[in-house]
Amino acid sequence: MNFDYSEEECALAEQARRLLAERAPPSLIRALLEGEGRDRAAALWTEVSALGWPAIAIPEAHGGLGFGHVALCALAEEVGRAMAPLPMLPSIYLAAEAIATGGSEAQKARWLPRIALGEIVGTAIVGASVSATATGNRLTLPATLAPFGAEASIAVVAGRDGAWIVDLGQAGVVRTAVRTIDQSLPCATIAFDRVETEPLQMIDAERILARAAVLVAFEQLGGADACLDMALGYVRERRTFGRVVGSYQAVKHRLADIYVANQLARSNAYYAAWALSADAPELALAAATARVSATAAYELAARENIQLHGGIGFTWEADCHLHYRRSRVLAQILEPVETWHRRLAAALDREGVA
Amino acid sequence: MDFEDTAEEARFRREAREWLQTHAPRYAPPAGESDAEGFALLPLARRWQTAKAEARYARISWPEAHGGRGGTAMDEVIFEEEQRRFALPPDPFGISLGMCIPTMMQWAEPQVAERFVRPALRGEEIWCQLFSEPSAGSDLANVRTRAVRDGDGWIVSGQKVWTTGAHVSDWGTILVRTDPAAEKYAGLSYFWFNMKSPGVEVRPIRQASGHAAFNEVFFTEVRIPDAQRLGAVGGGWKVAISTLMNERMAVNEADIANITIDDVVRMARRPGWTGGRPIDDPAACAQIATLYACSMGVRYTRYRMLTQLSRGGLPGPEAAIGKLALARNIQDMAAFAMEMRGPAGIIDDRGGDPDLAAMQEAWFYSAGLRIAGGTDEILRNTIAERVLGLPQEARVDRGVPFNQLTS
């Protein structure tokens, strides 16, 4: 057993961390919230695509680098730490994963090389609540929220009745940009009126969600650790009653609780990364556990980071609210945590603990 | 990231599993007997311990010369995982083998340690650790039990408290004050001694649960030879800290409680008090998921620490995570499990519903677990100060002779 990143994975994460610290600083995230900086975000996507980020876990046979899923997890952690405004979630964690796992050879050959290059972006509309109706190879869908829905070229759609790939360049696709609480991760609604589709036959909504949940857990983990670091940095400097705030137990204990939550979430995420990379039968349970754990950790860390900063933490200029926003968006964008509680319990029930 | 056994680990797991299948069933506790503290079933636990020692499974990572196998920390985990499949008596030898004997191995003369290792390993001799006192719990260095030099020995007088297993122990390790005029941490020394020495009186303490697993121990002019000192005169704090590090690393769910998350899930899959299965109820799912994520988080955190150890790292203060998270989680698990039985969950009927009885026992026991071996609050301080690097609270006991501190 080996329960840590490899040297190569650490090096990749380190490189990503340095690059994002420079190219995706909080000032960029704040600009995006104000409706500016889109060009810088797009340039960053071009730059990281040239570095092969979207290609990391896509097999070499389909134009990827084939570094494996743990490497992608390590990268996701850094994307989450920086809250980088990149379409990794919709294009890679959801669309590319769905196609690579459940697509036909022809579908993989057609879409994956272009996604790997970052040349096109995919999005996904996935879950039991997705009410897509198929008639032959035509698909109809009422307006549904999709991350990077305005920018995406294709969408993976998966609901109770099946999974499909839809080319978003065709007539009958209606996209409407939507303002969300975190404009650094833009969303749009997408509606279809009898558009052409290709079925994705080897995968269902639950498996697509499980795979993405592991990767999003790593983004949440990175975000949670960033909040802890921010809060620590502040309480080491700030003084009240003649002492550093960080010397009070009321403050120290709260930070210790955040640290513990983050570490437990990290451990659950590592287990899920293994299950994802090995495509193990434990994936459904491991993914739900990682999702539940990471969602709770990021939420706690983002809330308490504001609290530990005091009044300044609640201002627009402080970076705290960026994580507060992102933690909520990541908690809900892949179906809310309540559904993952049920998935986790259902997986335990299936597994049949004696 | 690799969760599979290596070839050697797989071989060891196979061997351990075969051995357990042959031997473990003979040591199953009688039906309905649950015993969270592990002293009620002591004779059975001793026989099981001897069987493990003879097969060299009692302390796998100890050197062969000490009756171990020279195995890895991972091998210990593998054996635990396999052992968890069997109903076995609770292990009352954790303090002997997890704390006292490793301290002896580290600090005593080799031939002295040699004398004690085997009998402890076989469960023939039990050790207790006499640290806490009425005014020295979280503030452990505040011990007042005095040791006064007398020729080639020391005369010890005072009182210890919360001493787990003192009533069944043959030997003890003790932290005492040898120099009250020295600074608090510098006036302490550490000894091992015979619990049957004249002047040692053990009085069991009845706990909140009604059980009595720990004790008060009174010392009235007890003579301990100077040859039984570990570390320097005045160097006892250093020895005590080395013991506590062993303690933190030892913690995992199966070691510290009589229940695990598997027991909670098993109960949730059976009809609850309203007739339906709790696992089908969304509100119960939320609780199960939260409890499960914590249990697994602690288990996998331990695996991460083992990975660090296997790469040559040392167990650090982050090991405090395990007990801090687990003790609270066990309390939550037990309360949730009792609730699944509805109003009848409060009925104290050991014979009628063994699952419920075990949960009730854990519910009591976990309240103490959050205090024993480092309170939740002390562990949070440890994490905040030693892992996160935050400053200590203002202290008034540094650099002052102990006998000039106002208590």
Side-chain angles (χ1 to χ4, degrees), chain B residues 62-277:
Chain B
W62 283 8
E64 290 191 30
H66 283 143
R69 291 173 171 249
T72 62
M74 195 58 227
D75 293 338
E76 296 268 15
V77 171
I78 289 171
F79 189 81
E80 272 167 30
E81 285 174 352
E82 294 301 320
Q83 187 175 248
R84 216 177 287 150
R85 300 166 195 266
F86 298 89
L88 288 163
D91 180 354
F93 309 107
I95 291 171
S96 301
L97 301 177
M99 293 178 238
C100 298
I101 296 295
T103 304
M104 291 292 281
M105 292 201 260
Q106 186 180 346
W107 295 90
E109 293 293 326
Q111 68 276 15
V112 175
E114 187 67 21
R115 145 72 185 83
F116 291 107
V117 169
R118 298 282 176 148
L121 200 62
R122 295 170 62 86
E124 290 159 2
E125 291 180 350
I126 296 184
W127 287 66
C128 61
Q129 174 179 277
L130 297 107
F131 274 15
S132 295
E133 296 183 7
S135 60
S138 290
D139 184 8
L140 178 60
N142 205 44
V143 298
R144 291 165 180 197
T145 294
R146 278 282 280 129
V148 180
R149 193 77 197 226
D150 178 48
D152 62 353
W154 299 78
I155 303 297
V156 177
S157 297
Q159 182 195 349
K160 293 287 175 178
V161 75
W162 319 132
T163 313
T164 303
H167 58 307
V168 294
S169 288
D170 304 283
W171 303 95
T173 55
I174 187 169
L175 187 65
V176 294
R177 185 158 306 279
T178 44
D179 184 0
E183 195 255 355
K184 184 172 172 181
Y185 293 83
L188 301 168
S189 301
Y190 197 112
F191 296 87
W192 60 269
F193 72 104
N194 188 333
M195 283 293 287
K196 310 294 183 228
S197 306
V200 176
E201 188 198 345
V202 178
R203 291 186 205 157
I205 297 171
R206 194 166 185 218
Q207 297 154 214
S209 62
H211 294 290
F214 51 57
N215 306 273
E216 295 177 289
V217 184
F218 293 87
F219 292 80
T220 312
E221 298 188 353
V222 176
R223 188 176 170 82
I224 301 181
D226 187 54
Q228 294 177 200
R229 177 167 40 80
L230 301 178
V233 174
W237 185 247
K238 196 174 162 189
V239 184
I241 290 295
S242 72
T243 303
L244 294 174
M245 286 310 296
N246 287 322
E247 179 173 39
R248 299 281 151 74
M249 195 56 208
V251 170
N252 79 83
E253 199 170 54
D255 283 348
I256 63 171
N258 60 325
I259 59 158
T260 69
I261 186 66
D262 290 351
D263 300 315
V264 177
V265 174
R266 194 181 59 236
M267 286 175 72
R269 295 178 71 228
R270 293 184 190 147
W273 71 287
T274 56
R277 300 188 319 152

Side-chain angles (χ1 to χ4, degrees), chain A:
Chain A
M1 191 192 69
N2 168 17
F3 223 49
D4 204 350
Y5 292 135
S6 69
E7 275 179 36
E8 293 78 15
E9 288 151 3
C10 286
L12 172 77
E14 185 54 43
Q15 192 189 36
R17 189 190 298 212
R18 275 200 306 268
L19 180 90
L20 291 175
E22 199 178 301
R23 302 283 209 283
S27 58
L28 172 59
I29 315 299
R30 202 177 286 99
L32 288 162
L33 297 184
E34 311 240 47
E36 294 153 15
R38 259 296 128 221
D39 49 337
R40 279 167 70 197
L44 178 62
W45 179 241
T46 307
E47 182 175 7
V48 301
S49 295
L51 291 172
W53 289 12
I56 278 183
I58 294 175
E60 285 177 273
H62 299 296
L65 293 170
F67 286 173
H69 284 88
V70 179
L72 183 56
C73 289
L75 182 66
E77 186 182 337
E78 298 312 321
V79 170
R81 189 184 316 277
M83 299 175 281
L86 300 170
M88 291 294 285
L89 192 165
S91 194
I92 306 304
Y93 312 159
L94 283 162
E97 283 298 314
I99 295 169
T101 315
S104 66
E105 282 308 309
Q107 287 167 333
K108 292 183 202 173
R110 181 173 174 201
W111 300 113
L112 291 178
R114 298 177 67 196
I115 294 176
L117 284 173
E119 191 182 298
I120 61 166
V121 163
T123 188
I125 294 169
V126 182
S129 65
V130 173
S131 49
T133 43
T135 319
N137 66 341
R138 296 277 168 174
L139 196 69
T140 298
L141 178 82
T144 309
L145 199 66
F148 284 80
E151 294 81 356
S153 303
I154 60 164
V156 165
V157 180
R160 264 166 307 200
D161 305 324
W164 304 269
I165 305 175
V166 179
D167 186 336
L168 297 174
Q170 57 183 309
V173 174
V174 178
R175 307 197 239 191
T176 313
V178 172
R179 239 192 111 68
T180 70
I181 58 170
D182 179 5
Q183 285 295 95
S184 65
L185 206 119
C187 288
T189 60
I190 303 183
F192 304 143
D193 181 17
R194 286 162 292 164
V195 298
E196 266 188 53
T197 62
E198 307 169 29
L200 261 177
Q201 275 164 340
M202 319 271 282
I203 197 159
D204 60 17
E206 283 301 305
R207 272 186 81 203
I208 295 172
L209 285 172
R211 300 182 75 82
V214 178
L215 294 156
V216 172
F218 276 86
E219 284 206 5
Q220 291 171 308
L221 208 57
D225 268 355
C227 291
L228 175 60
D229 286 344
M230 277 175 72
L232 282 170
Y234 187 77
V235 304
R236 282 192 193 113
E237 299 298 323
R238 175 78 178 169
R239 300 177 74 87
T240 57
F241 306 105
R243 284 163 60 182
V244 165
V245 165
S247 68
Y248 292 103
Q249 283 197 343
V251 170
K252 282 154 75 170
H253 286 189
R254 191 162 301 180
L255 286 159
D257 288 341
I258 298 169
Y259 171 79
V260 170
N262 288 4
Q263 290 298 316
L264 298 182
R266 176 172 295 278
S267 301
N268 282 321
Y270 280 17
Y271 179 69
W274 165 78
L276 178 66
S277 67
D279 205 12
E282 293 90 341
L283 180 61
L285 178 58
T289 308
R291 172 84 175 145
V292 166
S293 207
T295 303
Y298 197 11
E299 181 154 17
L300 175 73
R303 285 181 183 189
E304 298 308 312
N305 185 33
I306 294 181
Q307 183 68 19
L308 289 162
H309 273 75
I312 198 79
F314 188 60
T315 61
W316 184 260
E317 285 70 29
D319 298 334
C320 305
H321 70 101
L322 308 181
H323 282 291
Y324 193 60
R325 291 164 187 272
R326 183 60 65 88
S327 69
R328 186 97 311 268
V329 165
L330 293 185
Q332 295 189 213
I333 205 161
L334 216 58
E335 295 204 344
V337 75
E338 180 217 333
T339 68
W340 293 96
H341 289 153
R342 277 192 271 127
R343 284 188 179 94
L344 194 161
L348 283 173
D349 196 23
R350 277 198 306 275
E351 212 178 63
V353 181

